[in-house]
Amino acid sequence: MQNVNNKKQINNAKLISSFKNIRKYELSNGATLLIEKNTNNNVVAGKIFIKGGSLIENKAGTADILVGTIKKGTENKTGKEIQDALDNIGSAITFSDANEYFEVSMKTTKNDFNEAFNLLKEIIETPVFAQK
């Protein structure tokens, strides 16, 4: 995992617009990134919206099942280990779905960002969905 604080990663993004302390970038994969800097505290919060949800599912209810089970475990951690790791650093990661998209939210502190982001990355990249 690369350090997400590496400034080279933002170099592949094209600044589209800015307003006050909000900047809008287009990433090399076509995704849009909005960044709002707030220096009032050390909280880092982020949301990812992914096209999907109940309107495009092939079988009714699969989007709900996905968001309800994705944090139940990964190839390396059980759901309890994931939740304990988040609790230990005072962070939260949530998943939800709507008609047209999935939403992934993360809230953590500046000091714990890399650990929380690595947990999020693991949840998204290596989820294990138990048969039961």
Side-chain angles (χ1 to χ4, degrees), residues 31-70:
T32 300
L33 173 66
L34 298 173
I35 298 177
E36 179 180 9
K37 188 170 184 174
N38 179 351
T39 58
N40 294 330
N41 56 45
N42 285 327
V43 174
V44 178
K47 290 187 183 230
I48 302 169
F49 295 93
I50 305 165
K51 186 176 182 176
S54 58
L55 287 181
I56 65 168
E57 61 191 12
N58 292 327
K59 191 169 185 177
T62 54
D64 289 333
I65 291 170
L66 173 68
V67 299
T69 58
I70 195 163

PDB file of all heavy atoms in Angstrom, residues 31-70:
ATOM      1  N   ALA A  31     -12.895   9.347 -12.540  1.00  0.00           N
ATOM      2  CA  ALA A  31     -13.620   9.627 -11.302  1.00  0.00           C
ATOM      3  C   ALA A  31     -13.424  11.090 -10.906  1.00  0.00           C
ATOM      4  O   ALA A  31     -12.432  11.723 -11.265  1.00  0.00           O
ATOM      5  CB  ALA A  31     -13.135   8.712 -10.179  1.00  0.00           C
ATOM      6  N   THR A  32     -14.384  11.615 -10.174  1.00  0.00           N
ATOM      7  CA  THR A  32     -14.309  12.982  -9.671  1.00  0.00           C
ATOM      8  C   THR A  32     -13.924  12.955  -8.204  1.00  0.00           C
ATOM      9  O   THR A  32     -14.451  12.162  -7.432  1.00  0.00           O
ATOM     10  CB  THR A  32     -15.672  13.686  -9.826  1.00  0.00           C
ATOM     11  OG1 THR A  32     -16.022  13.704 -11.204  1.00  0.00           O
ATOM     12  CG2 THR A  32     -15.622  15.106  -9.299  1.00  0.00           C
ATOM     13  N   LEU A  33     -13.012  13.823  -7.823  1.00  0.00           N
ATOM     14  CA  LEU A  33     -12.564  13.937  -6.440  1.00  0.00           C
ATOM     15  C   LEU A  33     -12.810  15.361  -5.972  1.00  0.00           C
ATOM     16  O   LEU A  33     -12.362  16.309  -6.611  1.00  0.00           O
ATOM     17  CB  LEU A  33     -11.071  13.604  -6.331  1.00  0.00           C
ATOM     18  CG  LEU A  33     -10.403  13.827  -4.974  1.00  0.00           C
ATOM     19  CD1 LEU A  33     -10.972  12.877  -3.923  1.00  0.00           C
ATOM     20  CD2 LEU A  33      -8.894  13.647  -5.104  1.00  0.00           C
ATOM     21  N   LEU A  34     -13.569  15.510  -4.883  1.00  0.00           N
ATOM     22  CA  LEU A  34     -13.792  16.814  -4.262  1.00  0.00           C
ATOM     23  C   LEU A  34     -13.040  16.842  -2.953  1.00  0.00           C
ATOM     24  O   LEU A  34     -13.165  15.924  -2.143  1.00  0.00           O
ATOM     25  CB  LEU A  34     -15.279  17.046  -3.998  1.00  0.00           C
ATOM     26  CG  LEU A  34     -16.196  17.079  -5.213  1.00  0.00           C
ATOM     27  CD1 LEU A  34     -17.655  17.155  -4.770  1.00  0.00           C
ATOM     28  CD2 LEU A  34     -15.855  18.243  -6.117  1.00  0.00           C
ATOM     29  N   ILE A  35     -12.277  17.885  -2.721  1.00  0.00           N
ATOM     30  CA  ILE A  35     -11.524  18.023  -1.478  1.00  0.00           C
ATOM     31  C   ILE A  35     -11.882  19.355  -0.845  1.00  0.00           C
ATOM     32  O   ILE A  35     -11.792  20.399  -1.499  1.00  0.00           O
ATOM     33  CB  ILE A  35     -10.003  17.951  -1.721  1.00  0.00           C
ATOM     34  CG1 ILE A  35      -9.622  16.591  -2.296  1.00  0.00           C
ATOM     35  CG2 ILE A  35      -9.244  18.237  -0.431  1.00  0.00           C
ATOM     36  CD1 ILE A  35      -8.152  16.456  -2.638  1.00  0.00           C
ATOM     37  N   GLU A  36     -12.306  19.290   0.411  1.00  0.00           N
ATOM     38  CA  GLU A  36     -12.561  20.497   1.185  1.00  0.00           C
ATOM     39  C   GLU A  36     -11.642  20.477   2.389  1.00  0.00           C
ATOM     40  O   GLU A  36     -11.734  19.590   3.234  1.00  0.00           O
ATOM     41  CB  GLU A  36     -14.009  20.574   1.647  1.00  0.00           C
ATOM     42  CG  GLU A  36     -14.288  21.807   2.480  1.00  0.00           C
ATOM     43  CD  GLU A  36     -15.726  21.913   2.948  1.00  0.00           C
ATOM     44  OE1 GLU A  36     -16.496  20.951   2.776  1.00  0.00           O
ATOM     45  OE2 GLU A  36     -16.078  22.962   3.499  1.00  0.00           O
ATOM     46  N   LYS A  37     -10.759  21.432   2.454  1.00  0.00           N
ATOM     47  CA  LYS A  37      -9.804  21.485   3.557  1.00  0.00           C
ATOM     48  C   LYS A  37     -10.429  22.244   4.718  1.00  0.00           C
ATOM     49  O   LYS A  37     -10.962  23.330   4.563  1.00  0.00           O
ATOM     50  CB  LYS A  37      -8.504  22.149   3.114  1.00  0.00           C
ATOM     51  CG  LYS A  37      -7.421  22.059   4.145  1.00  0.00           C
ATOM     52  CD  LYS A  37      -6.098  22.508   3.588  1.00  0.00           C
ATOM     53  CE  LYS A  37      -5.012  22.303   4.633  1.00  0.00           C
ATOM     54  NZ  LYS A  37      -3.696  22.593   4.123  1.00  0.00           N
ATOM     55  N   ASN A  38     -10.333  21.637   5.901  1.00  0.00           N
ATOM     56  CA  ASN A  38     -10.836  22.241   7.127  1.00  0.00           C
ATOM     57  C   ASN A  38      -9.730  22.136   8.163  1.00  0.00           C
ATOM     58  O   ASN A  38      -9.378  21.046   8.587  1.00  0.00           O
ATOM     59  CB  ASN A  38     -12.093  21.505   7.602  1.00  0.00           C
ATOM     60  CG  ASN A  38     -12.646  22.069   8.884  1.00  0.00           C
ATOM     61  OD1 ASN A  38     -12.022  22.904   9.542  1.00  0.00           O
ATOM     62  ND2 ASN A  38     -13.824  21.618   9.251  1.00  0.00           N
ATOM     63  N   THR A  39      -9.179  23.252   8.557  1.00  0.00           N
ATOM     64  CA  THR A  39      -8.072  23.243   9.511  1.00  0.00           C
ATOM     65  C   THR A  39      -8.534  23.460  10.949  1.00  0.00           C
ATOM     66  O   THR A  39      -7.718  23.648  11.842  1.00  0.00           O
ATOM     67  CB  THR A  39      -7.041  24.326   9.135  1.00  0.00           C
ATOM     68  OG1 THR A  39      -7.698  25.593   9.106  1.00  0.00           O
ATOM     69  CG2 THR A  39      -6.401  24.028   7.796  1.00  0.00           C
ATOM     70  N   ASN A  40      -9.840  23.420  11.192  1.00  0.00           N
ATOM     71  CA  ASN A  40     -10.371  23.640  12.537  1.00  0.00           C
ATOM     72  C   ASN A  40     -10.139  22.466  13.477  1.00  0.00           C
ATOM     73  O   ASN A  40     -10.171  22.629  14.695  1.00  0.00           O
ATOM     74  CB  ASN A  40     -11.867  23.959  12.492  1.00  0.00           C
ATOM     75  CG  ASN A  40     -12.137  25.279  11.805  1.00  0.00           C
ATOM     76  OD1 ASN A  40     -11.315  26.182  11.852  1.00  0.00           O
ATOM     77  ND2 ASN A  40     -13.273  25.380  11.150  1.00  0.00           N
ATOM     78  N   ASN A  41      -9.951  21.268  12.924  1.00  0.00           N
ATOM     79  CA  ASN A  41      -9.724  20.091  13.758  1.00  0.00           C
ATOM     80  C   ASN A  41      -8.922  19.063  12.971  1.00  0.00           C
ATOM     81  O   ASN A  41      -8.555  19.295  11.833  1.00  0.00           O
ATOM     82  CB  ASN A  41     -11.055  19.503  14.250  1.00  0.00           C
ATOM     83  CG  ASN A  41     -11.983  19.159  13.109  1.00  0.00           C
ATOM     84  OD1 ASN A  41     -11.569  18.577  12.123  1.00  0.00           O
ATOM     85  ND2 ASN A  41     -13.251  19.530  13.230  1.00  0.00           N
ATOM     86  N   ASN A  42      -8.673  17.919  13.583  1.00  0.00           N
ATOM     87  CA  ASN A  42      -7.876  16.864  12.945  1.00  0.00           C
ATOM     88  C   ASN A  42      -8.728  15.753  12.354  1.00  0.00           C
ATOM     89  O   ASN A  42      -8.243  14.657  12.119  1.00  0.00           O
ATOM     90  CB  ASN A  42      -6.882  16.272  13.949  1.00  0.00           C
ATOM     91  CG  ASN A  42      -5.722  17.204  14.196  1.00  0.00           C
ATOM     92  OD1 ASN A  42      -5.304  17.920  13.306  1.00  0.00           O
ATOM     93  ND2 ASN A  42      -5.197  17.206  15.410  1.00  0.00           N
ATOM     94  N   VAL A  43     -10.000  16.005  12.131  1.00  0.00           N
ATOM     95  CA  VAL A  43     -10.895  14.983  11.585  1.00  0.00           C
ATOM     96  C   VAL A  43     -10.743  14.920  10.068  1.00  0.00           C
ATOM     97  O   VAL A  43     -10.670  15.940   9.395  1.00  0.00           O
ATOM     98  CB  VAL A  43     -12.360  15.288  11.953  1.00  0.00           C
ATOM     99  CG1 VAL A  43     -13.315  14.328  11.266  1.00  0.00           C
ATOM    100  CG2 VAL A  43     -12.546  15.236  13.463  1.00  0.00           C
ATOM    101  N   VAL A  44     -10.684  13.698   9.572  1.00  0.00           N
ATOM    102  CA  VAL A  44     -10.660  13.450   8.133  1.00  0.00           C
ATOM    103  C   VAL A  44     -11.884  12.608   7.817  1.00  0.00           C
ATOM    104  O   VAL A  44     -12.078  11.545   8.401  1.00  0.00           O
ATOM    105  CB  VAL A  44      -9.380  12.700   7.705  1.00  0.00           C
ATOM    106  CG1 VAL A  44      -9.413  12.410   6.218  1.00  0.00           C
ATOM    107  CG2 VAL A  44      -8.140  13.478   8.077  1.00  0.00           C
ATOM    108  N   ALA A  45     -12.712  13.096   6.925  1.00  0.00           N
ATOM    109  CA  ALA A  45     -13.921  12.370   6.552  1.00  0.00           C
ATOM    110  C   ALA A  45     -13.983  12.278   5.042  1.00  0.00           C
ATOM    111  O   ALA A  45     -13.561  13.190   4.333  1.00  0.00           O
ATOM    112  CB  ALA A  45     -15.156  13.079   7.085  1.00  0.00           C
ATOM    113  N   GLY A  46     -14.481  11.173   4.561  1.00  0.00           N
ATOM    114  CA  GLY A  46     -14.590  10.996   3.123  1.00  0.00           C
ATOM    115  C   GLY A  46     -15.761  10.118   2.753  1.00  0.00           C
ATOM    116  O   GLY A  46     -16.213   9.298   3.551  1.00  0.00           O
ATOM    117  N   LYS A  47     -16.281  10.333   1.569  1.00  0.00           N
ATOM    118  CA  LYS A  47     -17.362   9.514   1.030  1.00  0.00           C
ATOM    119  C   LYS A  47     -17.014   9.146  -0.401  1.00  0.00           C
ATOM    120  O   LYS A  47     -16.453   9.954  -1.141  1.00  0.00           O
ATOM    121  CB  LYS A  47     -18.693  10.265   1.044  1.00  0.00           C
ATOM    122  CG  LYS A  47     -19.243  10.468   2.425  1.00  0.00           C
ATOM    123  CD  LYS A  47     -20.632  11.056   2.361  1.00  0.00           C
ATOM    124  CE  LYS A  47     -21.103  11.319   3.779  1.00  0.00           C
ATOM    125  NZ  LYS A  47     -22.396  10.775   4.028  1.00  0.00           N
ATOM    126  N   ILE A  48     -17.350   7.929  -0.745  1.00  0.00           N
ATOM    127  CA  ILE A  48     -17.172   7.444  -2.108  1.00  0.00           C
ATOM    128  C   ILE A  48     -18.550   7.030  -2.605  1.00  0.00           C
ATOM    129  O   ILE A  48     -19.263   6.288  -1.924  1.00  0.00           O
ATOM    130  CB  ILE A  48     -16.226   6.227  -2.157  1.00  0.00           C
ATOM    131  CG1 ILE A  48     -14.860   6.576  -1.570  1.00  0.00           C
ATOM    132  CG2 ILE A  48     -16.093   5.712  -3.586  1.00  0.00           C
ATOM    133  CD1 ILE A  48     -13.973   5.363  -1.338  1.00  0.00           C
ATOM    134  N   PHE A  49     -18.927   7.524  -3.769  1.00  0.00           N
ATOM    135  CA  PHE A  49     -20.187   7.135  -4.383  1.00  0.00           C
ATOM    136  C   PHE A  49     -19.857   6.291  -5.609  1.00  0.00           C
ATOM    137  O   PHE A  49     -19.104   6.725  -6.481  1.00  0.00           O
ATOM    138  CB  PHE A  49     -21.005   8.364  -4.783  1.00  0.00           C
ATOM    139  CG  PHE A  49     -21.440   9.182  -3.605  1.00  0.00           C
ATOM    140  CD1 PHE A  49     -20.670  10.243  -3.157  1.00  0.00           C
ATOM    141  CD2 PHE A  49     -22.608   8.875  -2.926  1.00  0.00           C
ATOM    142  CE1 PHE A  49     -21.064  10.997  -2.070  1.00  0.00           C
ATOM    143  CE2 PHE A  49     -23.006   9.620  -1.832  1.00  0.00           C
ATOM    144  CZ  PHE A  49     -22.237  10.687  -1.396  1.00  0.00           C
ATOM    145  N   ILE A  50     -20.421   5.094  -5.661  1.00  0.00           N
ATOM    146  CA  ILE A  50     -20.140   4.148  -6.736  1.00  0.00           C
ATOM    147  C   ILE A  50     -21.442   3.834  -7.450  1.00  0.00           C
ATOM    148  O   ILE A  50     -22.433   3.470  -6.809  1.00  0.00           O
ATOM    149  CB  ILE A  50     -19.535   2.841  -6.169  1.00  0.00           C
ATOM    150  CG1 ILE A  50     -18.291   3.161  -5.340  1.00  0.00           C
ATOM    151  CG2 ILE A  50     -19.233   1.859  -7.295  1.00  0.00           C
ATOM    152  CD1 ILE A  50     -17.834   2.014  -4.459  1.00  0.00           C
ATOM    153  N   LYS A  51     -21.426   3.978  -8.758  1.00  0.00           N
ATOM    154  CA  LYS A  51     -22.624   3.678  -9.533  1.00  0.00           C
ATOM    155  C   LYS A  51     -23.048   2.245  -9.259  1.00  0.00           C
ATOM    156  O   LYS A  51     -22.246   1.319  -9.313  1.00  0.00           O
ATOM    157  CB  LYS A  51     -22.361   3.886 -11.021  1.00  0.00           C
ATOM    158  CG  LYS A  51     -23.588   3.747 -11.875  1.00  0.00           C
ATOM    159  CD  LYS A  51     -23.281   4.061 -13.328  1.00  0.00           C
ATOM    160  CE  LYS A  51     -24.520   3.965 -14.171  1.00  0.00           C
ATOM    161  NZ  LYS A  51     -24.281   4.339 -15.555  1.00  0.00           N
ATOM    162  N   GLY A  52     -24.307   2.062  -8.939  1.00  0.00           N
ATOM    163  CA  GLY A  52     -24.825   0.729  -8.614  1.00  0.00           C
ATOM    164  C   GLY A  52     -26.144   0.880  -7.896  1.00  0.00           C
ATOM    165  O   GLY A  52     -26.919   1.784  -8.187  1.00  0.00           O
ATOM    166  N   GLY A  53     -26.382   0.020  -6.943  1.00  0.00           N
ATOM    167  CA  GLY A  53     -27.606   0.115  -6.172  1.00  0.00           C
ATOM    168  C   GLY A  53     -28.729  -0.726  -6.735  1.00  0.00           C
ATOM    169  O   GLY A  53     -28.565  -1.509  -7.672  1.00  0.00           O
ATOM    170  N   SER A  54     -29.904  -0.541  -6.165  1.00  0.00           N
ATOM    171  CA  SER A  54     -31.020  -1.426  -6.451  1.00  0.00           C
ATOM    172  C   SER A  54     -31.586  -1.299  -7.871  1.00  0.00           C
ATOM    173  O   SER A  54     -32.190  -2.245  -8.372  1.00  0.00           O
ATOM    174  CB  SER A  54     -32.138  -1.210  -5.421  1.00  0.00           C
ATOM    175  OG  SER A  54     -32.567   0.138  -5.436  1.00  0.00           O
ATOM    176  N   LEU A  55     -31.405  -0.169  -8.524  1.00  0.00           N
ATOM    177  CA  LEU A  55     -31.953  -0.020  -9.875  1.00  0.00           C
ATOM    178  C   LEU A  55     -31.234  -0.849 -10.921  1.00  0.00           C
ATOM    179  O   LEU A  55     -31.809  -1.164 -11.960  1.00  0.00           O
ATOM    180  CB  LEU A  55     -31.947   1.450 -10.319  1.00  0.00           C
ATOM    181  CG  LEU A  55     -32.985   2.346  -9.668  1.00  0.00           C
ATOM    182  CD1 LEU A  55     -32.869   3.766 -10.217  1.00  0.00           C
ATOM    183  CD2 LEU A  55     -34.396   1.832  -9.892  1.00  0.00           C
ATOM    184  N   ILE A  56     -29.983  -1.218 -10.675  1.00  0.00           N
ATOM    185  CA  ILE A  56     -29.262  -1.974 -11.698  1.00  0.00           C
ATOM    186  C   ILE A  56     -28.958  -3.411 -11.278  1.00  0.00           C
ATOM    187  O   ILE A  56     -28.302  -4.127 -12.004  1.00  0.00           O
ATOM    188  CB  ILE A  56     -27.957  -1.263 -12.116  1.00  0.00           C
ATOM    189  CG1 ILE A  56     -26.962  -1.198 -10.970  1.00  0.00           C
ATOM    190  CG2 ILE A  56     -28.234   0.108 -12.671  1.00  0.00           C
ATOM    191  CD1 ILE A  56     -25.574  -0.773 -11.408  1.00  0.00           C
ATOM    192  N   GLU A  57     -29.466  -3.841 -10.114  1.00  0.00           N
ATOM    193  CA  GLU A  57     -29.177  -5.213  -9.683  1.00  0.00           C
ATOM    194  C   GLU A  57     -30.022  -6.198 -10.486  1.00  0.00           C
ATOM    195  O   GLU A  57     -31.148  -5.910 -10.895  1.00  0.00           O
ATOM    196  CB  GLU A  57     -29.405  -5.369  -8.182  1.00  0.00           C
ATOM    197  CG  GLU A  57     -30.810  -5.101  -7.735  1.00  0.00           C
ATOM    198  CD  GLU A  57     -30.932  -5.018  -6.216  1.00  0.00           C
ATOM    199  OE1 GLU A  57     -29.930  -4.941  -5.516  1.00  0.00           O
ATOM    200  OE2 GLU A  57     -32.075  -5.031  -5.754  1.00  0.00           O
ATOM    201  N   ASN A  58     -29.455  -7.376 -10.714  1.00  0.00           N
ATOM    202  CA  ASN A  58     -30.146  -8.416 -11.466  1.00  0.00           C
ATOM    203  C   ASN A  58     -31.159  -9.165 -10.611  1.00  0.00           C
ATOM    204  O   ASN A  58     -32.151  -9.671 -11.117  1.00  0.00           O
ATOM    205  CB  ASN A  58     -29.143  -9.416 -12.053  1.00  0.00           C
ATOM    206  CG  ASN A  58     -28.295  -8.789 -13.141  1.00  0.00           C
ATOM    207  OD1 ASN A  58     -28.759  -7.921 -13.871  1.00  0.00           O
ATOM    208  ND2 ASN A  58     -27.055  -9.212 -13.237  1.00  0.00           N
ATOM    209  N   LYS A  59     -30.894  -9.245  -9.326  1.00  0.00           N
ATOM    210  CA  LYS A  59     -31.779  -9.953  -8.408  1.00  0.00           C
ATOM    211  C   LYS A  59     -32.106  -9.014  -7.246  1.00  0.00           C
ATOM    212  O   LYS A  59     -31.196  -8.504  -6.587  1.00  0.00           O
ATOM    213  CB  LYS A  59     -31.098 -11.226  -7.905  1.00  0.00           C
ATOM    214  CG  LYS A  59     -32.002 -12.156  -7.167  1.00  0.00           C
ATOM    215  CD  LYS A  59     -31.324 -13.492  -6.940  1.00  0.00           C
ATOM    216  CE  LYS A  59     -32.311 -14.436  -6.309  1.00  0.00           C
ATOM    217  NZ  LYS A  59     -31.746 -15.758  -6.116  1.00  0.00           N
ATOM    218  N   ALA A  60     -33.375  -8.781  -7.006  1.00  0.00           N
ATOM    219  CA  ALA A  60     -33.811  -7.835  -5.977  1.00  0.00           C
ATOM    220  C   ALA A  60     -33.207  -8.183  -4.616  1.00  0.00           C
ATOM    221  O   ALA A  60     -33.197  -9.338  -4.199  1.00  0.00           O
ATOM    222  CB  ALA A  60     -35.331  -7.825  -5.878  1.00  0.00           C
ATOM    223  N   GLY A  61     -32.661  -7.179  -3.947  1.00  0.00           N
ATOM    224  CA  GLY A  61     -32.127  -7.353  -2.602  1.00  0.00           C
ATOM    225  C   GLY A  61     -30.633  -7.578  -2.529  1.00  0.00           C
ATOM    226  O   GLY A  61     -30.059  -7.536  -1.442  1.00  0.00           O
ATOM    227  N   THR A  62     -29.971  -7.797  -3.663  1.00  0.00           N
ATOM    228  CA  THR A  62     -28.539  -8.093  -3.603  1.00  0.00           C
ATOM    229  C   THR A  62     -27.717  -6.887  -3.152  1.00  0.00           C
ATOM    230  O   THR A  62     -26.704  -7.041  -2.473  1.00  0.00           O
ATOM    231  CB  THR A  62     -28.004  -8.622  -4.952  1.00  0.00           C
ATOM    232  OG1 THR A  62     -28.347  -7.705  -5.984  1.00  0.00           O
ATOM    233  CG2 THR A  62     -28.556  -9.985  -5.267  1.00  0.00           C
ATOM    234  N   ALA A  63     -28.140  -5.682  -3.499  1.00  0.00           N
ATOM    235  CA  ALA A  63     -27.418  -4.486  -3.040  1.00  0.00           C
ATOM    236  C   ALA A  63     -27.502  -4.372  -1.522  1.00  0.00           C
ATOM    237  O   ALA A  63     -26.508  -4.079  -0.852  1.00  0.00           O
ATOM    238  CB  ALA A  63     -27.989  -3.233  -3.706  1.00  0.00           C
ATOM    239  N   ASP A  64     -28.676  -4.644  -0.963  1.00  0.00           N
ATOM    240  CA  ASP A  64     -28.840  -4.609   0.499  1.00  0.00           C
ATOM    241  C   ASP A  64     -27.995  -5.675   1.180  1.00  0.00           C
ATOM    242  O   ASP A  64     -27.393  -5.424   2.225  1.00  0.00           O
ATOM    243  CB  ASP A  64     -30.313  -4.812   0.887  1.00  0.00           C
ATOM    244  CG  ASP A  64     -31.176  -3.610   0.539  1.00  0.00           C
ATOM    245  OD1 ASP A  64     -30.647  -2.485   0.487  1.00  0.00           O
ATOM    246  OD2 ASP A  64     -32.388  -3.805   0.322  1.00  0.00           O
ATOM    247  N   ILE A  65     -27.950  -6.859   0.592  1.00  0.00           N
ATOM    248  CA  ILE A  65     -27.141  -7.936   1.165  1.00  0.00           C
ATOM    249  C   ILE A  65     -25.663  -7.556   1.130  1.00  0.00           C
ATOM    250  O   ILE A  65     -24.937  -7.768   2.094  1.00  0.00           O
ATOM    251  CB  ILE A  65     -27.395  -9.266   0.426  1.00  0.00           C
ATOM    252  CG1 ILE A  65     -28.815  -9.764   0.724  1.00  0.00           C
ATOM    253  CG2 ILE A  65     -26.364 -10.314   0.824  1.00  0.00           C
ATOM    254  CD1 ILE A  65     -29.253 -10.931  -0.121  1.00  0.00           C
ATOM    255  N   LEU A  66     -25.230  -6.979   0.030  1.00  0.00           N
ATOM    256  CA  LEU A  66     -23.826  -6.574  -0.100  1.00  0.00           C
ATOM    257  C   LEU A  66     -23.429  -5.602   1.003  1.00  0.00           C
ATOM    258  O   LEU A  66     -22.459  -5.828   1.717  1.00  0.00           O
ATOM    259  CB  LEU A  66     -23.551  -5.949  -1.466  1.00  0.00           C
ATOM    260  CG  LEU A  66     -22.155  -5.334  -1.632  1.00  0.00           C
ATOM    261  CD1 LEU A  66     -21.093  -6.415  -1.622  1.00  0.00           C
ATOM    262  CD2 LEU A  66     -22.073  -4.508  -2.884  1.00  0.00           C
ATOM    263  N   VAL A  67     -24.180  -4.516   1.173  1.00  0.00           N
ATOM    264  CA  VAL A  67     -23.793  -3.522   2.180  1.00  0.00           C
ATOM    265  C   VAL A  67     -23.970  -4.049   3.602  1.00  0.00           C
ATOM    266  O   VAL A  67     -23.286  -3.602   4.516  1.00  0.00           O
ATOM    267  CB  VAL A  67     -24.528  -2.169   2.007  1.00  0.00           C
ATOM    268  CG1 VAL A  67     -24.212  -1.548   0.657  1.00  0.00           C
ATOM    269  CG2 VAL A  67     -26.007  -2.293   2.214  1.00  0.00           C
ATOM    270  N   GLY A  68     -24.854  -5.010   3.775  1.00  0.00           N
ATOM    271  CA  GLY A  68     -25.053  -5.585   5.104  1.00  0.00           C
ATOM    272  C   GLY A  68     -24.009  -6.607   5.499  1.00  0.00           C
ATOM    273  O   GLY A  68     -23.852  -6.919   6.677  1.00  0.00           O
ATOM    274  N   THR A  69     -23.279  -7.126   4.526  1.00  0.00           N
ATOM    275  CA  THR A  69     -22.328  -8.199   4.829  1.00  0.00           C
ATOM    276  C   THR A  69     -20.872  -7.872   4.508  1.00  0.00           C
ATOM    277  O   THR A  69     -19.982  -8.621   4.904  1.00  0.00           O
ATOM    278  CB  THR A  69     -22.709  -9.484   4.071  1.00  0.00           C
ATOM    279  OG1 THR A  69     -22.740  -9.213   2.662  1.00  0.00           O
ATOM    280  CG2 THR A  69     -24.046 -10.021   4.516  1.00  0.00           C
ATOM    281  N   ILE A  70     -20.593  -6.787   3.829  1.00  0.00           N
ATOM    282  CA  ILE A  70     -19.223  -6.526   3.366  1.00  0.00           C
ATOM    283  C   ILE A  70     -18.236  -6.358   4.514  1.00  0.00           C
ATOM    284  O   ILE A  70     -17.067  -6.683   4.382  1.00  0.00           O
ATOM    285  CB  ILE A  70     -19.161  -5.328   2.385  1.00  0.00           C
ATOM    286  CG1 ILE A  70     -17.818  -5.331   1.660  1.00  0.00           C
ATOM    287  CG2 ILE A  70     -19.460  -4.014   3.093  1.00  0.00           C
ATOM    288  CD1 ILE A  70     -17.774  -4.494   0.414  1.00  0.00           C
TER     289      ILE A  70
END
